[in-house]
């Protein structure tokens, strides 16, 4: 019997055991990695997103010590997504600030 997810997305107990083992072994190194690269308020999100990806792609996680290296790659991409999202948010906030000072025409004036 192979360990993995069933066709209907059901989780087999082997998946839960493997994930729990990976989490116990890799949580601290992944958290340390994230804490060196993101602001304090984003660390927990980066770690959670990393382990969510690990859970979703559990069948692709290599065995042994290679698992941690693979998870570092996941964390790297998660952090990259966070950085890009933050940059987009800052640009949008800057654009909104520049628009706030402009007068807005009344609805009836814009129709005419």
């Amino acid at each position: 019997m192979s360990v993995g997810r069933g066709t209907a997305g059901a989780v087999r107990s082997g998946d839960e055991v493997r994930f729990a083992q990976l989490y116990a072994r890799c949580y601290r190194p992944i958290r340390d990695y994230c804490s060196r690269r993101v602001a304090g308020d984003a660390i927990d999100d980066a770690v959670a997103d990393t382990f969510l990806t690990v859970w979703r792609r559990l069948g692709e996680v290599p065995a042994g010590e290679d698992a941690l290296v693979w998870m570092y790659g996941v964390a790297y991409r998660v952090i990259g997504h966070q950085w890009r999202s933050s940059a987009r948010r800052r640009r949008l906030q800057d654009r909104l600030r520049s628009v706030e000072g402009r007068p807005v025409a009344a609805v009836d004036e814009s129709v005419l």
Side-chain angles (χ1 to χ4, degrees):
M1 177 178 208
S2 66
V3 175
R5 297 173 205 283
T7 57
V11 176
R12 295 186 183 170
S13 63
D15 285 348
E16 292 175 359
V17 170
R18 180 157 188 243
F19 180 80
Q21 290 170 342
L22 286 168
Y23 186 86
R25 191 175 79 223
C26 299
Y27 174 80
R28 178 52 57 192
I30 294 298
R31 180 163 177 75
D32 291 345
Y33 178 87
C34 292
S35 68
R36 289 188 301 268
R37 287 161 177 81
V38 297
D41 59 335
I43 295 169
D44 290 336
D45 288 341
V47 173
D49 286 347
T50 299
F51 280 100
L52 177 61
T53 301
V54 169
W55 173 250
R56 288 179 176 165
R57 298 177 61 191
L58 193 57
E60 299 172 37
V61 178
E65 294 303 314
D66 291 340
L68 181 59
V69 174
W70 187 87
M71 291 170 69
Y72 281 139
V74 171
Y76 174 82
R77 285 184 289 284
V78 164
I79 291 167
H81 290 302
Q82 281 186 345
W83 285 343
R84 287 185 296 278
S85 293
S86 294
R88 281 191 303 270
R89 193 171 20 261
R90 281 190 303 274
R91 286 191 307 266
L92 177 60
Q93 288 170 343
D94 291 344
R95 284 181 24 214
L96 289 173
R97 273 191 226 103
S98 70
V99 173
E100 285 177 1
R102 296 181 187 167
V104 178
V107 176
D108 56 343
E109 290 176 13
S110 64
V111 173
L112 295 175

